Amino acid sequence: GKMRSMDRFKICLGVSGGLESTSVLLACVRIFKKYNLPLTNIIGVTMPGLGTTERTYNNALALMKYLGVTIRDIDLKPLLKMHLNNISQPEGKYDITYEQTQSRERTQVLLDIANQENAIMIGTGCMSEFALGWMTYGGDHLCMYALNIGLPKTVVRLYTNWLMNKYYYPEPIKKVISDILEGAVSPELLPVDENGEQHEKTEDLIGDYMVQDFFIYHNL
């Protein structure tokens, strides 16, 4: 309905190799198949930044390849480093400026690609993030259509697992989705360690999503 009203039958979304973007990508593929739209009209954009791990990056690429969507791989690191230098951000200062810069840059790239391709940018943020304010203002809360906005984080995980088991997916795709489901929730904005591991875990900072979603449910 949204695509018909805008007369745009092409979408773009950021694919990080994380839970939300995976669930949105799988849902979009199902929608496009249902209405016999070409899967190449789904533009998946992976944007490795300063804290992206090889695990999530490779999972994002593998998932898009197996699903048959259009892949755009844009390395944001040079641009981010230049921007941080331009605003005189001290090197090694990993504060909120360092983190938010990356989220906003990703959204700018996605919105620009949406305009470039005459596409709708699909958001991947979920209810839990919006309810808690765990998002970047002017960054990952901006989009043209938010698919997961009515689903709390715990439901997104269950829904993704349900999609994986409900529909026939070849084993390589199931393996990638299973690995994504097992990964810790992280914005991957802080630098990785010498082993390429990311220690920035969302639930270490805001608490267990199972508890957060419990209170969100009862508040609503």
Side-chain angles (χ1 to χ4, degrees):
K2 185 69 172 177
M3 288 190 286
R4 284 198 189 99
S5 68
M6 296 181 72
D7 197 27
R8 295 184 183 186
F9 293 92
K10 188 182 283 189
I11 63 171
C12 73
L13 70 155
V15 182
S16 66
L19 181 62
E20 277 83 13
S21 65
T22 298
S23 70
V24 171
L25 179 59
L26 292 175
C28 287
V29 167
R30 297 305 310 174
I31 292 166
F32 270 60
K33 284 185 174 179
K34 180 177 180 179
Y35 292 101
N36 296 313
L37 297 169
L39 294 182
T40 50
N41 278 14
I42 299 174
I43 305 165
V45 188
T46 182
M47 296 170 282
L50 301 169
T52 302
T53 62
E54 286 295 315
R55 176 183 180 178
T56 54
Y57 174 64
N58 289 331
N59 277 342
L61 289 175
L63 188 63
M64 290 189 287
K65 179 183 175 183
Y66 289 135
L67 291 172
V69 304
T70 297
I71 300 172
R72 290 191 66 167
D73 184 0
I74 301 173
D75 186 0
L76 293 187
K77 291 188 285 293
L79 186 60
L80 291 166
K81 288 176 181 178
M82 181 177 69
H83 177 69
L84 289 168
N85 182 61
N86 286 342
I87 64 170
S88 302
Q89 174 77 357
E91 191 170 345
K93 187 177 183 181
Y94 306 128
D95 59 359
I96 192 169
T97 304
Y98 182 90
E99 294 196 60
Q100 302 276 41
T101 291
Q102 298 179 68
S103 297
R104 280 189 282 263
E105 190 58 49
R106 285 171 177 160
T107 301
Q108 175 176 284
V109 169
L110 288 169
L111 287 169
D112 288 345
I113 289 173
N115 292 152
Q116 187 182 58
E117 298 282 349
N118 195 35
I120 299 172
M121 177 190 160
I122 305 297
T124 57
C126 69
M127 181 191 289
S128 302
E129 293 167 345
F130 275 72
L132 297 170
W134 187 256
M135 87 234 357
T136 300
Y137 181 73
D140 45 11
H141 84 299
L142 289 177
C143 65
M144 295 167 182
Y145 191 78
L147 206 62
N148 271 353
I149 197 63
L151 301 178
K153 179 82 74 169
T154 47
V155 175
V156 172
R157 187 175 296 279
L158 292 168
Y159 171 65
T160 305
N161 187 66
W162 177 83
L163 280 175
M164 181 180 69
N165 292 299
K166 168 75 174 176
Y167 299 104
Y168 171 75
Y169 290 113
E171 281 307 312
I173 299 182
K174 284 191 172 184
K175 186 177 180 182
V176 172
I177 298 172
S178 295
D179 192 57
I180 291 168
L181 285 167
E182 291 169 9
V185 178
S186 171
E188 290 198 337
L189 297 173
L190 296 179
V192 296
D193 64 18
E194 61 276 6
N195 298 316
E197 296 294 326
Q198 177 59 256
H199 296 285
E200 184 182 22
K201 304 292 191 293
T202 297
E203 289 179 300
D204 290 346
L205 299 166
I206 65 169
D208 193 315
Y209 270 116
M210 189 69 78
V211 176
Q212 295 286 10
D213 289 351
F214 173 83
F215 286 112
I216 291 169
Y217 173 80
H218 283 283
N219 273 305
L220 290 175

